Amino acid sequence: MEYLKAFLIGGAICALSQIVMDKTKLMPGRVMVGLVCLGSILGAIGLYGPFAKWAGSGASVPLTGFGNLLWKGVKEAVDAEGFLGLFKGGLKAGAAGISGALVMGYLASLIFNPKMKAG
């Protein structure tokens, strides 16, 4: 049942994002940044934690979950180290995911031989 809930919640977040891209002139990069910021804001006001606890992986895997992760990292680092935590807390919290994305992106580029579009 948890898998079904995660699929439905994560799918709903992605579907809403697709609707925003289709109905507005926003480019995908802006929508992605908006999702990260939304996750950070919802985490800061205390709404994302209960939602993620209820939704499980359906809420933690999309970009909103990454924004919340950055927020939690910054909050913990600021509490522990003060002002310097603003600059290194989010990077420290998201380092594993960012590194994994970079490595997998590089491996995919080796396997699939990407080509630049002629502009």
Side-chain angles (χ1 to χ4, degrees):
M1 196 63 178
E2 282 188 44
Y3 293 127
L4 180 62
K5 187 190 321 183
F7 175 76
L8 292 174
I9 300 296
I13 292 170
C14 293
L16 288 172
S17 301
Q18 187 65 48
I19 290 169
V20 167
M21 283 191 288
D22 290 345
K23 297 294 182 187
T24 66
K25 299 288 183 192
L26 292 174
M27 300 297 289
R30 292 181 189 228
V31 174
M32 290 169 48
V33 169
L35 289 170
V36 172
C37 292
L38 180 65
S40 297
I41 291 167
L42 290 176
I45 62 176
L47 295 177
Y48 202 83
F51 173 63
K53 188 173 184 180
W54 173 77
S57 294
S60 62
V61 172
L63 286 170
T64 51
F66 181 65
N68 186 52
L69 175 74
L70 292 175
W71 158 251
K72 287 194 302 189
V74 168
K75 183 178 183 299
E76 290 172 6
V78 166
D79 291 343
E81 303 174 32
F83 183 72
L84 269 175
L86 281 172
F87 302 104
K88 60 186 202 176
L91 291 174
K92 189 174 181 182
I98 294 168
S99 298
L102 288 172
V103 168
M104 291 302 151
Y106 177 72
L107 291 176
S109 73
L110 291 176
I111 294 169
F112 294 105
N113 193 18
K115 294 178 178 62
M116 295 293 290
K117 289 183 179 180

